Amino acid sequence: REARAQVGYLPENPYFPDDLTARELVENAGRLHGLGRRERRERAGQLLELVGLGAVGDRTLRRYSKGMVQRAGMARALVAKPRFVILDEPMSGLDPIGRREFRDLILELRRDGTTVVFASHVLSDAEMLCDRVAIMMKGRLERIGAIHTLLSARVTETEVLLEEAPDSLREAAAEHGWEALEKGERLQIKLPGETDPAELLRDAVQSLQHCLERERYLHGFGITHASTGDVNPPADDDVVGAGGHGLGRG
């Protein structure tokens, strides 16, 4: 119980009984944490003022907007003066003024020595508020560290996923030693280090242009199909297929 009292939590979409007032919500949370009646009343009043609900603390939650419910949830999370606070998208549903006030509140908690862990998709919030950042992808922890370190991290690999990729792209990848994988009807090419993906496209276009020029050249001789190898102009004594007829030295 003592450990739970040190943890405050605000979910992304808090759901509270909407027949309660914000003051009742916070006071009930204080009672669950073992606060005395006088202490929880004082604490509820302080927190409602802190989150901007002091004037409407006796209004039922069903009359609150989403942002106001979020504020009430923050007050509830802080009622026991936790040393560890978990916030899931805490600024969801807040207007610009509310976002600024929540940022100021999180900074104040940090200055007081409270550890705050919050999830966010807004990079600017993380840059402004966090000492350390963890990057999650598909439920897995990918990176963790100081945000300036993560933002300046060196690119180790770039993946390019193409639909209906022409053979010229495969040829360009093979020439550079880049890994090319068939993903159904898509082609996935992995570029090492900080290789510019535009380099792949430039090489592919040049290769495709070479193929088109070769096709036009052969078409002048009536040849409609040819291999992808290098093609040289036929000598006088060569025999080539042209429109289904044999051409030979007379």
Side-chain angles (χ1 to χ4, degrees):
R1 183 171 181 175
E2 292 181 2
R4 289 198 300 270
Q6 298 300 312
V7 179
Y9 173 61
L10 174 64
E12 178 180 2
N13 297 303
Y15 178 79
F16 307 120
D18 61 6
D19 59 335
L20 294 179
T21 66
R23 192 177 308 278
E24 290 171 337
L25 176 73
V26 179
E27 287 187 9
N28 285 344
R31 183 167 58 85
L32 291 174
H33 281 289
L35 303 183
R37 177 178 297 181
R38 180 177 180 180
E39 183 180 5
R40 62 179 182 254
R41 284 182 178 177
E42 291 179 353
R43 186 70 178 150
Q46 294 169 355
L47 289 171
L48 290 175
E49 289 290 342
L50 183 64
V51 299
L53 296 178
V56 293
D58 295 315
R59 186 181 299 177
T60 57
L61 297 179
R62 66 168 59 99
R63 299 173 60 191
Y64 276 13
S65 66
K66 185 179 186 300
M68 294 171 72
V69 172
Q70 200 82 354
R71 291 169 183 261
M74 176 67 88
R76 180 180 181 274
L78 300 178
V79 68
K81 298 182 180 180
R83 307 312 300 167
F84 186 80
V85 179
I86 302 172
L87 309 174
D88 187 3
E89 299 284 356
M91 301 178 201
S92 174
L94 296 178
D95 57 27
I97 294 177
R99 291 180 63 84
R100 185 192 64 201
E101 292 175 348
F102 263 45
R103 283 197 297 264
D104 292 343
L105 176 56
I106 293 173
L107 290 172
E108 183 177 342
L109 291 172
R110 188 176 73 173
R111 285 193 294 269
D112 290 341
T114 303
T115 299
V116 180
V117 176
F118 77 93
S120 177
H121 290 84
V122 183
L123 181 60
S124 59
D125 289 341
E127 289 180 294
M128 184 179 300
L129 300 173
C130 297
D131 297 315
R132 288 168 60 81
V133 174
I135 299 176
M136 302 287 292
M137 183 177 295
K138 298 180 180 180
R140 296 180 58 185
L141 180 64
E142 294 291 334
R143 298 288 300 279
I144 186 169
I147 191 164
H148 69 273
T149 302
L150 297 182
L151 291 178
S152 61
R154 183 177 180 272
V155 177
T156 58
E157 185 178 84
T158 302
E159 290 188 1
V160 180
L161 191 62
L162 304 158
E163 293 187 3
E164 300 180 359
D167 291 338
S168 57
L169 283 175
R170 294 174 176 80
E171 295 172 0
E175 290 176 1
H176 287 82
W178 297 332
E179 183 180 357
L181 303 173
E182 298 290 343
K183 299 285 187 178
E185 297 182 355
R186 298 180 177 181
L187 178 67
Q188 180 188 56
I189 299 178
K190 295 184 178 182
L191 309 179
E194 298 181 350
T195 305
D196 185 358
E199 181 180 346
L200 168 65
L201 299 179
R202 283 194 299 268
D203 289 351
V205 170
Q206 292 175 0
S207 178
L208 183 59
Q209 184 178 15
H210 173 74
C211 291
L212 291 175
E213 291 175 350
R214 184 191 62 204
E215 293 284 343
R216 283 196 295 268
Y217 175 81
L218 294 175
H219 187 69
F221 287 88
I223 301 173
T224 56
H225 296 86
S227 68
T228 58
D230 292 335
V231 178
N232 295 316
D236 291 342
D237 56 353
D238 288 339
V239 177
V240 298
H245 299 285
L247 295 180
R249 184 171 54 187

